[in-house]
């Protein structure tokens, strides 16, 4: 971290409003952002946030695991991988009716978007038909829809689009260089290929990653630079703080300094100013003050409801209280 006296004129533009939407961010430039004095980084993030959004508004999405556990992939962070000492029991794909009933509850609790996650490497064709029926039903309730089903080819992406899917979540998870330390059963390029199939089908992209997996600061910079140099920025950028789950290889990963986590949120906001930046997994173990700092740094979306996919999330009533304390409110529409 630089001290205030070492700020060079080149690291701080004369106007933080200069050219806000860029697609050519380098890792070195993002590293410079992460190294800025905290007040400077937050000022830049807030200035850009206000150009694109009302800083008092938070988008809220509710998650449901529609197919839990038994996943053949080896993602080191994930409790649903069948390759780890398994904590989560493998279940079958939920029935459409049960999913719609959960979506109704989420809507009544105030969610704007309903995100359905499946522990698959990629969906099988007959399962995809069922997921399409879920999307149609959830959309019929007036909720935005998001699914995360693993890798997709272009035909599958078009089927989801035809069912009315609004968003597809597929994370790059970390920097291209660190990726191989975390997952060996699919490549970083596989992730990019799915993202490009999703884009080409005309579905909005939800793509982000995880902080706290033992990556270096330069990997955090590399992850943000990779997201921010996509030809079109993901419309939603979830930044997850690793949820350390017993039985996974990352269960004993080192804690992240909360202020460093806030810096990653701010760097996402500065580099992708028109995207929703989601303070995603990890809030259960985060102080409300750190969450408030994340909102000040430009986070404007959260997962809402007491469960993520398989791990706990703060109760909706607690989140309502926190937003009230901060004088913030949930947004009715989102991108
Ligand atoms: N199987 C699909 C896939 O991997 O694309 C979809 C579900 S997967 C659980 C979705 C995302 O959740 C992962 O890409 C990862 O970023 C995030 N995730 C999973 N386990 C996590 C954990 N323990 N802590 C934080 N984020 C996690
Ligand atoms: C994302 O980036 N985070 C969510 C969602 N997309 C699918 C998942 C978080 C999972 C946390 C661990 C669990 O609950 O199993
Ligand atoms: Fe499977 Fe997704 Fe978990 Fe990886 S992150 S093990 S692909 S459910």
């Amino acid at each position: 971290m630089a001290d205030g006296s070492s700020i060079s004129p080149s690291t701080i533009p004369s106007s933080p409003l200069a050219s806000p939407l860029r697609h050519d961010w380098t890792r070195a430039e993002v590293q410079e952002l992460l190294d800025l004095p905290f007040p400077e980084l937050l000022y830049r993030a807030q200035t850009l946030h206000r150009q694109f959004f009302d800083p008092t508004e938070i988008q809220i999405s509710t998650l449901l695991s529609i197919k839990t556990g038994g996943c053949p992939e080896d993602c080191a962070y994930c409790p649903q991988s069948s390759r780890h000492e398994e904590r989560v029991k493998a279940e079958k794909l939920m029935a459409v009716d049960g999913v719609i009933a959960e979506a109704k509850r989420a809507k009544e609790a105030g969610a704007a978007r309903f995100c359905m996650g499946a522990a698959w490497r990629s969906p099988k064709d007959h399962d995809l038909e069922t997921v399409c029926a879920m999307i149609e039903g959830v959309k019929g309730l007036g909720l935005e829809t998001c699914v995360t089903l693993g890798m997709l080819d272009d035909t599958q992406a078009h089927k989801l689009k035809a069912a009315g899917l609004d968003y597809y979540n597929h994370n790059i998870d970390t920097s291209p260089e660190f990726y191989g330390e975390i997952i060996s059963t699919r490549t970083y390029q596989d992730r990019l290929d799915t993202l490009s199939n999703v884009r080409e089908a005309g579905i909005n992209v939800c793509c982000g990653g995880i902080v706290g997996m033992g990556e270096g600061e330069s990997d955090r910079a590399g992850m943000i630079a990779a997201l921010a140099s996509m030809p079109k920025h993901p419309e939603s950028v979830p930044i997850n703080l690793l949820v350390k789950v017993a039985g996974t290889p990352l269960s004993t990963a080192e804690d992240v300094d909360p202020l460093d986590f806030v810096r990653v949120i701010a760097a996402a906001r500065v580099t992708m100013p028109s995207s929703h930046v989601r303070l995603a997994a990890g809030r259960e173990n985060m102080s409300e003050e750190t969450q408030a700092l994340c909102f000040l740094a430009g986070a404007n979306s959260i997962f809402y409801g007491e469960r993520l996919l398989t791990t706990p999330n703060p109760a909706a009533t607690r989140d309502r209280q926190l937003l009230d304390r901060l004088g913030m409110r949930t947004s009715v529409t989102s991108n």
Side-chain angles (χ1 to χ4, degrees):
M1 240 313 298
D3 70 20
S5 60
S6 66
I7 307 167
S8 75
S10 69
T11 55
I12 300 179
S14 51
S15 163
L17 305 183
S19 58
L21 270 186
R22 286 177 43 198
H23 299 267
D24 57 355
W25 285 92
T26 64
R27 174 195 279 254
E29 284 177 305
V30 178
Q31 187 70 60
E32 275 190 34
L33 288 175
L34 293 174
D35 286 344
L36 281 172
F38 196 75
E40 181 60 37
L41 176 57
L42 259 67
Y43 170 66
R44 290 184 61 174
Q46 291 195 345
T47 307
L48 284 160
H49 193 182
R50 280 155 194 266
Q51 266 187 274
F52 289 88
F53 294 100
D54 177 340
T56 65
E57 281 196 357
I58 293 279
Q59 187 275 341
I60 58 174
S61 298
T62 291
L63 272 171
L64 175 68
S65 181
I66 57 169
K67 157 65 183 90
T68 305
C71 184
E73 302 286 82
D74 70 351
C75 312
Y77 49 76
C78 186
Q80 303 200 69
S81 166
S82 59
R83 309 209 179 206
H84 312 322
E85 183 193 308
E86 227 183 320
R87 193 194 71 110
V88 174
K89 195 165 102 333
E91 290 171 18
K92 285 201 297 212
L93 178 61
M94 282 178 72
V96 177
D97 288 357
V99 172
I100 310 293
E102 290 291 338
K104 263 193 199 139
R105 268 196 280 280
K107 187 177 159 93
E108 279 157 16
R113 189 179 307 167
F114 193 66
C115 308
M116 295 164 269
W120 288 326
R121 171 176 165 84
S122 57
K124 296 198 171 62
D125 285 346
H126 67 275
D127 287 334
L128 197 71
E129 305 285 322
T130 310
V131 174
C132 285
M134 292 172 183
I135 292 166
E136 281 160 16
V138 173
K139 249 191 117 62
L141 300 173
L143 283 162
E144 289 182 324
T145 52
C146 176
V147 296
T148 179
L149 314 172
M151 295 188 279
L152 291 185
D153 63 28
D154 64 336
T155 312
Q156 293 173 317
H158 279 97
K159 280 189 184 158
L160 290 169
K161 174 68 183 174
L165 182 66
D166 297 304
Y167 289 81
Y168 195 81
N169 167 246
H170 201 65
N171 291 338
I172 59 168
D173 282 339
T174 188
S175 70
E177 295 76 11
F178 193 63
Y179 188 91
E181 302 287 317
I182 301 297
I183 301 152
S184 78
T185 48
R186 50 161 201 255
T187 63
Y188 184 78
Q189 186 58 46
D190 289 332
R191 290 310 257 188
L192 298 184
D193 291 347
T194 291
L195 289 166
S196 122
N197 291 334
V198 168
R199 267 276 174 247
E200 275 166 28
I203 302 167
N204 291 310
V205 170
C206 171
C207 182
I210 307 178
V211 177
M213 301 191 292
E215 72 285 346
E217 202 188 53
S218 76
D219 292 305
R220 293 175 191 163
M223 175 178 90
I224 297 294
L227 294 166
S229 46
M230 289 179 177
K232 200 169 175 207
H233 294 161
E235 281 77 10
S236 285
V237 181
I239 304 294
N240 296 277
L241 178 63
L242 176 71
V243 180
K244 295 183 221 175
V245 183
T248 63
L250 293 178
S251 62
T252 55
E254 252 185 59
D255 284 343
V256 175
D257 177 343
L259 295 182
D260 287 343
F261 183 79
V262 176
R263 285 173 180 279
V264 178
I265 296 272
R269 170 53 64 219
V270 170
T271 55
M272 295 169 279
S274 67
S275 303
H276 273 86
V277 174
R278 181 171 305 123
L279 167 54
R283 290 194 303 117
E284 179 72 354
N285 297 316
M286 203 180 275
S287 74
E288 296 199 328
E289 291 75 13
T290 300
Q291 295 181 52
L293 274 178
C294 288
F295 299 145
L296 291 181
N300 59 350
S301 172
I302 53 171
F303 286 125
Y304 177 75
E306 54 284 342
R307 188 145 277 272
L308 293 166
L309 290 174
T310 65
T311 64
N313 194 46
T317 46
R318 283 215 66 176
D319 280 340
R320 289 276 172 196
Q321 280 163 9
L322 175 60
L323 294 180
D324 281 351
R325 280 171 70 203
L326 295 169
M328 296 177 75
R329 60 205 159 85
T330 56
S331 54
V332 180
T333 55
S334 60
N335 69 10

